[in-house]
Amino acid sequence: MSSFRYRPEILEGVPEHLTRNLKQFEDWFLLEAAELKKITEHFVKELEKGLTIEGAVPSLDSIQPMNVTWVRSNPSGRESGRFLTLDMGGTNLRICDVTLSEQKRDFEQTQRKFKLPKEVKSGTAEELWDFVADRLQAFLKENPTGSQDNIPVPLAFTFSFPVDQQNIRSGVLQRWTKKFNVSGVEGEDVVPQLEAALARKNIPVDVVALINDTTGTLIASHYRDPHVKVGSIFSTGTNAAYMEECRLVPKLKDYGLPEDAKVIINTEYGAFDNDRQILPFTPFDHQIDSESLRPGTQLYEKMVSGLYIGEMLRLVMIKLHEEGILFQDKDITRLRQNYAIDATFLSIAEMDISEGLDAMREEFEDDFSFSPTVDEMKVCRYLIGLIATRAARLYACGIAAICKKNNTKKCHVGVDGSVFNNYSGFKDRASQGLRDILDWPVGEIDLIALNASEDGSGVGAALAASLALNKVEQIKTTIL
Ligand code: BGC
């Protein structure tokens, strides 16, 4: 039986004219254990299906990519060397200079973050790669690598989008996700594009590994804690990666890999249920999808991740405004703008324990230039709880599905991403979701524990580069 219950104490004392239409939102957003279990069962089948179907095919939109990353082992903890890492995520470009020390599980790093401007995210391939190369050049000016005789420094590139890889040094972009829409990159290998921009500026680096942020998170968290079996991101987007046995990946059958070979699979499970078989879509989900850059794609991600939960709240608030309930005498022009709310707004509002909800009011005043009544804000707080709880419980389905598929009953999951790390309450809600799906005995600790992980794109990427270089060394030694 589900122990899940949403507790709307926040609504106590709020007048009836503000709460009368709220029942419909509970019907839309509350997901009981039985529903989560059904979604998870379907999720397991889709993960399995994705392992059978080869890479970037036109029908991909309805299939979970389950991309083979060619990272074939976990780090031993004794990796060493100096690496540059470049991380192009949803919001920032992060550059790190990482030195892995010979001493087990130790490293030093210097990093710098650059915001990725909106124009760059929707410009041309050349503009994007030139932007990246310029920032790398600026970073190297401040942090010279001291590389002798112009020997290129090895660089690992964390590219947080779905790519079809034939090896770890290349990757054809299957499709842009989040709010990226750069022309001339989909269907192309991103590594030569980046290399061409680096060459134009004479930047002496050698791209030795292309990885996903989930792969980096898995590697970095496993480096510190060998009980980690899944690496996941909960941020602008959402996704997870895990280590799979190659013999269980039918699409690898012609690659002649050894019987006991393993490989990290980047599930790209944001694409789960693109064929709308099981997820409980609400009218708001349909609207978010149809108004997005690529309708019909990343449907699970659009219900769960940080980029979309703010938009969900905005659509819900507008609906209640139009039903004559919220903000009746207010000018809500600024709230009408698409994506005017981000996940931070929800997190600040939920953390506000002041009687007058002062922090929440400040957010409304700063972002939308109007000040709601305390009762109106209580209604919004209630709605935020519903939306964020649904996101966390749906997120739990993806993690539970990976563990079920692999018959993993107990493990740690390394989770990175601004929303996971900064949205207090998210982890507990997701853990409760896992408990409901997996029926852990009452009083049992979290058997699948979601643990905050950082540095996937720094240390994780550097380790991936080191593993990739070792592989090349091993191949050379075997040939000689
Ligand atoms: C991308 C994934 C990425 C995730 C988290 C998704 O939109 O498709 O590759 O791992 O976002 O950044």
Side-chain angles (χ1 to χ4, degrees), residues 160-162 177-178 212-214 233 237-239 268 298 301:
S160 306
F161 302 91
T177 59
K178 297 171 271 202
N212 187 258
D213 49 0
T214 53
I233 300 287
T238 190
N239 188 16
E268 284 298 335
Q298 301 293 100
E301 177 164 271

Side-chain angles (χ1 to χ4, degrees), residues 421-451:
N421 293 329
N422 304 326
Y423 199 138
S424 85
F426 178 84
K427 175 182 159 163
D428 288 348
R429 286 167 173 162
S431 301
Q432 181 62 50
L434 285 170
R435 186 168 287 276
D436 286 352
I437 299 167
L438 299 167
D439 287 322
W440 295 328
V442 179
E444 181 65 273
I445 53 151
D446 290 353
L447 295 178
I448 293 175
L450 304 172
N451 295 339

Side-chain angles (χ1 to χ4, degrees), residues 5 34 41 58 63 80 96 128 154 162 174 189 220 242 245 338 413:
R5 195 169 74 87
E41 287 312 317
I63 285 162
S80 62
C96 303
L128 171 68
Q174 292 164 329
D189 189 340
Y242 70 100
E245 293 178 51
N338 286 355
V413 178

Side-chain angles (χ1 to χ4, degrees), residues 46-195:
E46 293 298 299
L47 296 174
E48 279 163 355
K49 195 163 37 152
L51 290 177
T52 65
I53 295 165
E54 187 67 61
V57 290
S59 59
L60 185 75
D61 279 352
S62 65
I63 285 162
Q64 212 152 282
M66 301 298 276
N67 288 332
V68 175
T69 64
W70 298 108
V71 176
R72 304 235 330 256
S73 54
N74 278 309
S76 63
R78 299 210 176 275
E79 287 70 17
S80 62
R82 188 167 185 183
F83 303 90
L84 283 170
T85 68
L86 194 64
D87 170 23
M88 207 174 103
T91 315
N92 295 309
L93 178 73
R94 181 166 170 248
I95 303 174
C96 303
D97 178 351
V98 186
T99 305
L100 301 172
S101 123
E102 308 245 334
Q103 274 161 6
K104 204 163 162 44
R105 300 198 166 80
D106 199 11
F107 63 90
E108 272 177 27
Q109 77 177 16
T110 314
Q111 63 151 317
R112 192 156 165 206
K113 256 187 199 172
F114 302 90
K115 187 146 180 66
L116 278 161
K118 223 165 141 194
E119 318 77 72
V120 170
K121 292 197 223 172
S122 54
T124 64
E126 204 169 299
E127 284 158 3
L128 171 68
W129 302 119
D130 280 345
F131 176 87
V132 174
D134 275 342
R135 298 311 173 274
L136 184 59
Q137 195 166 45
F139 178 86
L140 288 174
K141 219 172 189 177
E142 283 167 20
N143 308 278
T145 59
S147 152
Q148 304 293 312
D149 306 326
N150 252 357
I151 298 176
V153 187
L155 177 137
F157 182 23
T158 305
F159 183 66
S160 306
F161 302 91
V163 290
D164 184 24
Q165 295 191 273
Q166 288 307 310
N167 57 61
I168 195 171
R169 289 162 190 253
S170 68
V172 174
L173 176 63
Q174 292 164 329
R175 79 170 86 80
W176 286 119
T177 59
K178 297 171 271 202
K179 276 191 154 179
F180 275 71
N181 196 20
V182 178
S183 61
V185 192
E186 280 174 320
E188 303 293 330
D189 189 340
V190 296
V191 175
Q193 293 198 346
L194 169 65
E195 283 173 336

